[in-house]
Amino acid sequence: GLTHGQIATRLGISPHTVDTYVKRIRSKLGVGNKAELTRAALLRRPAERPAGDTAGYVREHGAAAAS
């Protein structure tokens, strides 16, 4: 993974802002540390797509797989 400083540089925001966002996300998910946050992210089920929405499938699998 990336450090908060690396994330901040890539997004063009301050490391403090990244720290704040991560803290808020951890609070909303009820997790206490990075390991728990990672576990919560890995266990999260993808959002269901509306019928006929192939855009996400194409992004994940390529246009050839959608045809």
Side-chain angles (χ1 to χ4, degrees), residues 6-66:
Q6 291 168 326
I7 294 168
T9 299
R10 288 189 181 192
L11 295 177
I13 59 179
S14 78
H16 178 73
T17 301
V18 175
D19 291 340
T20 299
Y21 289 169
V22 171
K23 185 186 295 185
R24 289 178 182 169
I25 291 166
R26 285 181 18 206
S27 175
K28 287 181 180 182
L29 295 177
V31 298
N33 57 39
K34 285 184 182 181
E36 291 177 4
L37 180 58
T38 301
R39 183 174 189 275
L42 292 173
L43 293 176
R44 183 176 179 270
R45 294 179 54 193
E48 292 196 21
R49 296 188 182 104
D53 178 14
T54 60
Y57 185 88
V58 170
R59 279 193 302 274
E60 293 169 12
H61 303 284

